[in-house]
Amino acid sequence: MEAGVRSYEEAFSPYWYPVAFSHELKERPLAARLLGRELVVWRVGSGVAATQRYCAHRGADLCAGEVSAEGLRCAFHGWTYGQDGRCVRVPSQPGAPIPARAALASFRAVERYGLVWICLDASSQEALPEWPELESGKVATVALPRLDWEVSAGRLMEIILDVTHLSWVHKGTFGNPEQQEVLSYEVARLPGGLRTQITYPALSPALEGAPPRVDKTTLTYDVTLPFAVRLSFKPTLFFQHTVYAIASPWSEEKAQCFYFSSYHPAIKQFPDIFVKSELAILEQDRLIAEGQRPKAHPLDFSGEVHVKADRLPIEYRRGVIALRTGRPVDGPPPE
Ligand code: FES
Ligand SMILES: [Fe+2]
C-alpha cells in the first residue's frame, strides 16, 4: 500500500453505516457485518444495541441467543450481556464475581430514517446524513430488499453517480438510446459531499399499457461521503420521488446497499410501481458493476481513462481518496 494510505477499515470506520432496515430487526437478535467485523444487533428499551457477534465465554453465536430485560443472553450457557457489552450474569456461579474479561466489544448504534446504523469508531465525531424531509411527516417511504452485490461500496456508489451509462445500461427500463451525448454539467463540492443536477430525457415506464414516452427528468444528486446518496427525480410524466442509497461496506471488495424511496403518500400505487421498476433497473447495474475490475474502488486515476462527462464519478472518487489518504487530491485532467 502506498505510504500515507490508511487501511480500508481504518479510513472508513469513523462513519455511520446501516446494518439493517428497522423492519428487519424484531425481537430476535440479528447478524450484521461491517468492515470485516461480525456483529449482532438487538433491541433494548427504546433503542438498539450492537456488539461483537460471538460470545466471550466459548464463542457461541449470539444471534442464536435471546433478548431479555437484562440484555442479550447466550444460548450456550446463558451468560448475559448488557448494551455496553459487559457480562451481567453467569448463571453457573451466581454468587461469584464476573470475570473482567467477560465482555463483548460494543459499538454505538442508532435507529433513524427507518434504518439501524452503526459506527465502529467510538471517538468519531461524524454524523449521519441530514435528510430532514424524511422526518417531516410529509412523505411516505418504500424500501427495496437489501441489495447484496459482489462489489465494493465505492464502485457501487460510482455506478449510481454515473450519468453516462443511463442510455446504455438502462435500455428497456428508462434509458433513452437516442440520447448518447452528455451535456456539460457542474459538480458542487460541499463539506462532506457533492451536489449535481442534470436533465435526462428518460423513457417513462409504460404505465397502464401505454407505450413509453420521453419524460424530461431533472435528477439532483446529493452525495454524503463516503457512501450515501440522495437522488431526487422530477419527471414530467412519472411521479416525483427521491431515492436514498447507502452502501454498507463488508470489506474493501464487498458491500450491501440499503435502497429506499420517499414519495407523496397520496400516490397509493407508487410502492408497487417503484419496487418492480427499480429492481429491474438495479439488476442492469449489478451485472455491469460486478464485472468491473479491479473489484476494489481504485485509489487513484491512473488505471482508468476519464473524460469530461465522467465529472460526477470523478469528483466522488476524489472525495473518497481524500478520506483514505487524509489529504485533498486533484482529479485527473479530462482526456
Ligand atoms: S458460549 Fe456463550 S455462554 Fe458459554
Ligand atoms: Fe444505473
Side-chain angles (χ1 to χ4, degrees):
M1 200 179 295
E2 202 181 301
V5 176
R6 291 175 294 167
S7 76
Y8 191 81
E9 290 74 19
E10 186 189 359
F12 296 117
S13 284
Y15 303 92
W16 290 87
Y17 305 104
V19 294
F21 285 110
S22 292
H23 61 76
E24 295 177 294
L25 184 57
K26 305 204 168 81
E27 63 282 1
R28 304 281 319 155
L30 206 64
R33 240 189 238 195
L34 192 54
L35 293 168
R37 282 183 189 266
E38 302 277 0
L39 306 166
V40 55
V41 291
W42 77 93
R43 293 201 173 276
V44 284
S46 58
V48 282
T51 61
Q52 74 183 51
R53 178 170 170 178
Y54 296 100
C55 184
H57 180 218
R58 286 292 181 276
D61 186 352
L62 290 165
C63 293
E66 281 194 43
V67 180
S68 73
E70 276 180 319
L72 181 58
R73 187 167 60 220
C74 180
F76 199 174
H77 313 99
W79 289 26
T80 305
Y81 299 92
Q83 185 173 2
D84 62 0
R86 290 170 60 109
C87 182
V88 293
R89 180 176 297 277
V90 176
S92 59
Q93 42 180 49
I98 291 173
R101 291 200 305 119
L104 309 171
S106 71
F107 305 97
R108 286 186 289 165
V110 298
E111 203 169 10
R112 202 167 165 199
Y113 308 135
L115 295 162
V116 177
W117 303 74
I118 290 180
C119 177
L120 295 176
D121 179 347
S123 61
S124 165
Q125 303 292 313
E126 299 294 336
L128 266 63
E130 276 306 320
W131 295 323
E133 68 284 3
L134 290 174
E135 292 169 332
S136 67
K138 293 187 180 145
V139 295
T141 58
V142 53
L144 297 185
R146 287 191 216 181
L147 306 179
D148 190 13
W149 294 7
E150 292 301 320
V151 294
S152 57
R155 289 272 198 207
L156 200 155
M157 293 303 293
E158 275 194 17
I159 198 164
I160 295 175
L161 301 177
D162 186 302
V163 304
T164 311
H165 81 296
L166 304 178
S167 301
W168 296 94
V169 174
H170 296 304
K171 266 184 233 156
T173 51
F174 72 98
N176 184 342
E178 306 294 310
Q179 183 65 45
Q180 296 179 4
E181 183 179 3
V182 173
L183 302 177
S184 171
Y185 61 94
E186 297 296 321
V187 180
R189 296 177 185 172
L190 308 171
L194 302 166
R195 192 177 169 92
T196 297
Q197 194 167 78
I198 63 162
T199 57
Y200 182 73
L203 292 181
S204 75
L207 287 178
E208 287 153 7
R213 286 184 291 172
V214 171
D215 190 353
K216 191 171 171 222
T217 304
T218 303
L219 292 92
T220 308
Y221 298 79
D222 180 7
V223 178
T224 303
L225 289 167
F227 304 129
V229 61
R230 167 172 63 183
L231 174 48
S232 81
F233 291 82
K234 285 203 172 30
T236 42
L237 300 171
F238 191 55
F239 306 114
Q240 288 192 17
H241 63 285
T242 302
V243 158
Y244 303 78
I246 315 104
S248 192
W250 284 17
S251 70
E252 188 162 3
E253 296 191 348
K254 159 82 184 160
Q256 281 199 334
C257 186
F258 292 80
Y259 199 101
F260 62 99
S261 179
S262 67
Y263 63 98
H264 194 288
I267 315 168
K268 298 291 179 222
Q269 68 273 48
F270 183 82
D272 285 346
I273 299 172
F274 173 77
V275 170
K276 193 157 168 262
S277 69
E278 203 71 13
L279 286 176
I281 291 166
L282 288 163
E283 185 59 8
Q284 295 174 317
D285 288 320
R286 183 185 69 81
L287 291 170
I288 294 289
E290 288 189 343
Q292 285 180 283
R293 295 294 179 273
K295 280 174 81 76
H297 192 210
L299 264 177
D300 60 37
F301 294 98
S302 62
E304 297 176 349
V305 184
H306 311 276
V307 295
K308 205 163 163 230
D310 299 322
R311 198 77 243 162
L312 180 57
I314 288 171
E315 287 292 334
Y316 170 70
R317 192 180 296 186
R318 280 184 62 257
V320 174
I321 297 171
L323 295 182
R324 194 74 189 273
T325 59
R327 56 178 185 275
V329 287
D330 286 333
E335 295 178 47

